[in-house]
Structures are given as structure tokens and as C-alpha cells.
């Protein structure tokens, strides 16, 4: 089920992109970076109306004179569609966090707060998401594995052997609750912060002092939501809320950054451009993803390069970025759920050494190699990722 693009990447040793950020920026016309507040509002209203309409429709399911089978099917349909809508609301909230819905920061914050609170995700904490602070890979020593030349198959088996049922349930748990665990304890978060760093704590080192009030407001929003839900009662909570909620946005955030063919850079080789290019566009859930998730998954690479561009210009920007990046543009049409399974079972750990690393699987094998000659050649040609990054930042400030 691996897509042809994925297989091609596996076969091709990896060399980092050689285009500059300036080339990418120059290629994108400025008008695509400007937002239209009316359009943004229409999308927000659209998604809120969908939510209310679905609540209304679901409230009639129990009235329907039909067998258990039909009613169960209708509940499943409700959960599925509502889950899609809420993931879309999460995306809108996330975009508000990037300040792309409205011109005023105040409006963006307000709308973002409401959208995140309604979809019950701490609003201000999610802004750390794209600074690559989540999904930092586990390393060999995190698992207590012996070194590369010493480790035997037996050692790997001991750590990673598990039955498919176990893998599947681990995956479901990560999809459903992993997000909360990450927020509460910074699991898989950046190693810059001590383990257990909490995203709800206003004094957490994750946030700047000026973000303190925002975190407090975000926490209050969550508490209010939890109170409202308890007031609505367990039956409402389980039937209307929990399942769609668990069909959470984690799936797409995880999938865009964790793939056996996508590199992770350590500091010496990292640059903004390389980080942005180390993401994947996926046609997640096909037209449903386009429609409900506002193309966030289809146009994810573009979002990393131009996080201040409005989401509805994503398709146009993707076309341009794809042309400029050439072979460094990553796309993967592997069916979404299989891709999730593949990443989950194959992206287990990375080696401690090396500045460009790929995930390894349960046998300690990486799906892709680094083309070290190409990396060296780039250096000889005068490419310095750190210097480039400084230029890039200046570029962005302009
Ligand atoms: C998503 O992409 C499709 C195809 O390019 C486009 O027709 C649609 O308007 C886009 N949706 C949004 C929200 O931008």
C-alpha cells in the first residue's frame, strides 16, 4: 500500500534542499499572503453551523423508528462527520494562532480562543506546535538499547516485540489521549525542556513571561468547557462529544512530521528551510480532508514555509513551493490509515550520532540513507545553514 512517491523516496538517498528561502519567497506573489477577513469569518461560521446542525440531527436519532442496526449506523455517521468538523475547527483555531484570520491580533486571539475552547484544546499552548517542539524522536539510549555495532536482533526484539493487537491499541491510545499526555508532560516534546514540562502551567518554561495571562485565560476556558460538559451529563458527553473529540487532530499533526523517509536534523545541520522542507503533504481523507480540514493536510509544506498565509491560499502556494523545491518537495499518497500504521510501527527511534538522521524500525534499520557526498558538496559550495538562517530571518522581518 506504500505510494509510488514513498517508494521512490526510499530508493533515493537523501540530500538536503539546495534552494534558498529567498528563492521560495520571491516566487510567491505577495497577494497570496494577505488574508480576507470576510472569507475567514464565513469559514468560521460554516464550521460552527455544521457543529450545531449535527448536534440537532443527532438528537433525533433516538426518535427514529428503526432497528438497532440502523441507529448504530447513524451514530457512527454522526461521530465521523462531527469529528471531521471539529478537526476543521481546530485547524481554524490554529490558523488564528498564526494570526492569519484577521488583521488585528486581538480578533485573532479572541476567535482562536473561542474555537480552541469549543473544540476543547488549550488554545495558547498549541502555538508551540510548529516550532518543532512536538514529535522529537526517541533515541537509541532512550530505549536503553546497546550501541549500533553491539545490538543484536535479540536486543531489538526485547524492546520492540509486540503483537499487532498491542500495536493497534497503543496507536489508538496515542491518537486519543496522547495529545493530552504530551501537553501535560511534554512526552516527545523538545528536549530543551525537562521531562514533565507542563503546557497548562502559566509559569512553565515553555512560555514567555508575556504569555502568562494568555495561558491562564486558556486554562479558564478549558475549565469552563469541562464544567459545561459535566452539567450536560454523562450521556450527552459520551454520545455527542467524546467520540468525535477523540477523532482528534493529532492524526494529521503526527503524520506530517513522522515518516520513515523524512529526515530529522540536529542543530549543526538544521535551518528554517530544511525544517520546513522536512514535512509531507498528504491527501488525508481525500475530498473530505480538503473540505473539512481546509486543505491543511494537503498543503502542509506550504504552511510551514508561509505560516502567515491564509489557509484558503494554500493550494496556490503549494503549487509554487512544489515547483521551486523540486525533488525536495515531499508528497505521499499512501492511504492515510496505512500511513499512520506505517509511521507508528516504523518510526521508533533515531541514532544518537549524526546531524541528519532517519527513523529506525524495530530491527534497527532505517528506511533511507543520507547521501553524505551531496551533504559534503553543499558545504564545499559554501552553503552554511546557520548563516542562511540568519539571512532568512532578516528576510522574514522585512
Ligand atoms: C482546497 O483545495 C481545493 C482544490 O485546490 C479548492 O477547490 C478548495 O477551495 C480549497 N479549500 C480551501 C478551504 O481553501
Amino acid at each position: 500500500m506504500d505510494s509510488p512517491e514513498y517508494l521512490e523516496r526510499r530508493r533515493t538517498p537523501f540530500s538536503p534542499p539546495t534552494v534558498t528561502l529567498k528563492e521560495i519567497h520571491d516566487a510567491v506573489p505577495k497577494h497570496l499572503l494577505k488574508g480576507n477577513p470576510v472569507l475567514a469569518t464565513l469559514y468560521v461560521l460554516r464550521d460552527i453551523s455544521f457543529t450545531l446542525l449535527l448536534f440537532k440531527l443527532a438528537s433525533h436519532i433516538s426518535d427514529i423508528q428503526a432497528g438497532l442496526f440502523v441507529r448504530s449506523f447513524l451514530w457512527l455517521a454522526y461521530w465521523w462527520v462531527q469529528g471531521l468538523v471539529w478537526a476543521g475547527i481546530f485547524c481554524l483555531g490554529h490558523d488564528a494562532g498564526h494570526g492569519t484570520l484577521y488583521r488585528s491580533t486581538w480578533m485573532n486571539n479572541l476567535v482562536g480562543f473561542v474555537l480552541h475552547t469549543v473544540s476543547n484544546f488549550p488554545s495558547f499552548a498549541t502555538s508551540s506546535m510548529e516550532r518543532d517542539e512536538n514529535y522529537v524522536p526517541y533515541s537509541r539510549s532512550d530505549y536503553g538499547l546497546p550501541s549500533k555495532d553491539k545490538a543484536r536482533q535479540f536486543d531489538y526484539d526485547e524492546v520492540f516485540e509486540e503483537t499487532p493487537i498491542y500495536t493497534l491499541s497503543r496507536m489508538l491510545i496515542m491518537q486519543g489521549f496522547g495529545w493530552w499526555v504530551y501537553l501535560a508532560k511534554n512526552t516527545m516534546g523538545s528536549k530543551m525542556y525537562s521531562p514533565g514540562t507542563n503546557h497548562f502551567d502559566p509559569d512553565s518554561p515553555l512560555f514567555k513571561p508575556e504569555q502568562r495571562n494568555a495561558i491562564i485565560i486558556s486554562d479558564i476556558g478549558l475549565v469552563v468547557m469541562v464544567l459545561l460538559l459535566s452539567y450536560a451529563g454523562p450521556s450527552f458527553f459520551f454520545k455527542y462529544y467524546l467520540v468525535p473529540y477523540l477523532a482528534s487532530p493529532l492524526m494529521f499533526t503526527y503524520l506530517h512530521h513522522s515518516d520513515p523517509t523524512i529526515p530529522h536534523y540536529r542543530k549543526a545541520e538544521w535551518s528554517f528551510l530544511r525544517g520546513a522542507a522536512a514535512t509531507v503533504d498528504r491527501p488525508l481523507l481525500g475530498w473530505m480532508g480538503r473540505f473539512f480540514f481546509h486543505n491543511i493536510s494537503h498543503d502542509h509544506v506550504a504552511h510551514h514555509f508561509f505560516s502567515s498565509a491564509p489557509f484558503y491560499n494554500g493550494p496556490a502556494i503549494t503549487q509554487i513551493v512544489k515547483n521551486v523545491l523540486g525533488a525536495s518537495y515531499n508528497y505521499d499518497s499512501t492511504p492515510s490509515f496505512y500511513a499512520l500504521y506505517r509511521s507508528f510501527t516504523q518510526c521508533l527511534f533515531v541514532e544518537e550520532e549524526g546531524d541528519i538522521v532517519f527513523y529506525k524500525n524495530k530491527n534497527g534499520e532505517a528506511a533511507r540513507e543520507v547521501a553524505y557526498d551531496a551533504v559534503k558538496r553543499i558545504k564545499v559550495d559554501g552553503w552554511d545553514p546557520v548563516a542562511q538562517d540568519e539571512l532568512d530571518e532578516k528576510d522574514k522581518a522585512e
Side-chain angles (χ1 to χ4, degrees), residues 153-326:
Q153 187 59 41
F154 167 80
D155 299 305
Y156 292 116
D157 289 349
E158 189 133 282
V159 175
F160 297 121
E161 191 155 305
E162 46 188 55
T163 59
I165 297 290
Y166 180 69
T167 307
L168 199 69
S169 40
R170 212 160 52 93
M171 196 157 98
L172 288 175
I173 288 170
M174 190 196 87
Q175 287 301 303
F177 300 103
W179 175 243
W180 286 97
V181 178
Y182 160 69
L183 288 175
K185 294 174 60 185
N186 205 36
T187 44
M188 292 196 91
S190 166
K191 299 237 164 81
M192 241 153 61
Y193 307 106
S194 58
T197 304
N198 183 322
H199 286 72
F200 303 104
D201 174 6
D203 297 317
S204 152
L206 286 168
F207 307 117
K208 300 191 191 89
E210 62 269 26
Q211 289 177 303
R212 193 166 184 278
N213 288 343
I215 302 304
I216 295 176
I217 296 176
S218 152
D219 285 347
I220 294 175
L222 283 179
V223 171
V224 169
M225 263 320 275
V226 169
L227 288 179
L228 278 177
L229 285 172
S230 355
Y231 177 74
S235 152
F236 177 88
F237 178 71
F238 284 109
K239 275 186 168 160
Y240 289 81
Y241 198 86
L242 184 67
V243 179
Y245 177 71
L246 290 183
S248 73
L250 198 68
M251 176 167 169
F252 42 75
T253 54
Y254 174 73
L255 267 182
H256 291 128
H257 305 267
S258 308
D259 183 283
T261 63
I262 302 296
H264 281 268
Y265 297 98
R266 291 213 169 84
K267 201 140 188 143
E269 292 286 350
W270 187 89
S271 72
F272 173 83
L273 181 136
R274 288 179 174 194
T279 53
V280 201
D281 278 351
R282 298 182 188 275
L284 186 64
L285 305 184
W287 66 267
M288 281 189 272
R290 278 201 180 279
F291 182 76
F292 288 106
F293 305 158
H294 317 104
N295 289 330
I296 193 133
S297 194
H298 291 71
D299 300 319
H300 198 75
V301 177
H303 179 67
H304 272 263
F305 278 103
F306 297 94
S307 62
S308 60
F311 61 91
Y312 36 85
N313 289 338
I317 299 176
T318 295
Q319 278 313 315
I320 298 168
V321 167
K322 183 174 158 182
N323 286 337
V324 181
L325 276 180

Side-chain angles (χ1 to χ4, degrees), residues 26-192:
D26 287 350
V28 173
K30 293 287 166 278
H31 74 263
L32 289 179
L33 306 180
K34 278 219 187 69
N36 174 348
V38 177
L39 198 55
T41 307
L42 287 176
Y43 276 109
V44 171
L45 292 178
R46 184 198 82 166
D47 284 1
I48 292 178
S49 315
F50 281 167
T51 300
L52 297 176
L53 182 70
L54 286 164
F55 273 149
K56 182 92 191 115
L57 289 176
S59 71
H60 291 300
I61 294 179
S62 46
D63 306 339
I64 294 173
Q65 302 295 328
L68 182 67
F69 180 77
V70 173
R71 269 184 288 145
S72 310
F73 174 80
L74 290 174
W75 275 112
L76 281 177
Y78 163 74
W79 288 337
W80 175 251
V81 183
Q82 191 72 297
L84 295 177
V85 172
W86 289 356
I89 289 185
F90 172 84
C91 298
L92 289 178
H94 174 88
D95 271 61
H98 280 298
T100 66
L101 297 191
Y102 299 100
R103 294 200 186 122
S104 107
T105 316
W106 190 88
M107 267 301 274
N108 280 313
N109 285 348
L110 179 73
V111 173
F113 171 69
V114 171
L115 293 177
H116 275 306
T117 304
V118 170
S119 54
N120 228 344
F121 285 98
S123 50
F124 298 101
T126 52
S127 63
S128 71
M129 266 178 45
E130 260 146 33
R131 275 184 277 129
D132 218 3
E133 282 176 2
N134 48 356
Y135 305 121
V136 176
Y138 287 114
S139 64
R140 179 178 285 276
S141 66
D142 288 335
Y143 284 109
L145 281 163
S147 69
K148 198 159 49 175
D149 10 289
K150 294 229 182 73
R152 302 269 165 277
Q153 187 59 41
F154 167 80
D155 299 305
Y156 292 116
D157 289 349
E158 189 133 282
V159 175
F160 297 121
E161 191 155 305
E162 46 188 55
T163 59
I165 297 290
Y166 180 69
T167 307
L168 199 69
S169 40
R170 212 160 52 93
M171 196 157 98
L172 288 175
I173 288 170
M174 190 196 87
Q175 287 301 303
F177 300 103
W179 175 243
W180 286 97
V181 178
Y182 160 69
L183 288 175
K185 294 174 60 185
N186 205 36
T187 44
M188 292 196 91
S190 166
K191 299 237 164 81
M192 241 153 61

Side-chain angles (χ1 to χ4, degrees), residues 308-373:
S308 60
F311 61 91
Y312 36 85
N313 289 338
I317 299 176
T318 295
Q319 278 313 315
I320 298 168
V321 167
K322 183 174 158 182
N323 286 337
V324 181
L325 276 180
S328 297
Y329 168 78
N330 300 315
Y331 177 77
D332 182 10
S333 62
T334 301
S336 318
F337 289 100
Y338 178 70
L340 188 65
Y341 177 79
R342 184 178 66 201
S343 286
F344 205 76
T345 50
Q346 295 188 25
C347 298
L348 295 176
F349 72 98
V350 296
E351 294 295 347
E352 242 88 37
E353 59 274 4
D355 292 321
I356 304 177
V357 289
F358 286 90
Y359 268 119
K360 294 201 158 172
N361 66 10
K362 64 181 166 62
N363 300 322
E365 300 151 350
R368 203 174 178 194
E369 292 167 10
V370 178
Y372 287 105
D373 286 350

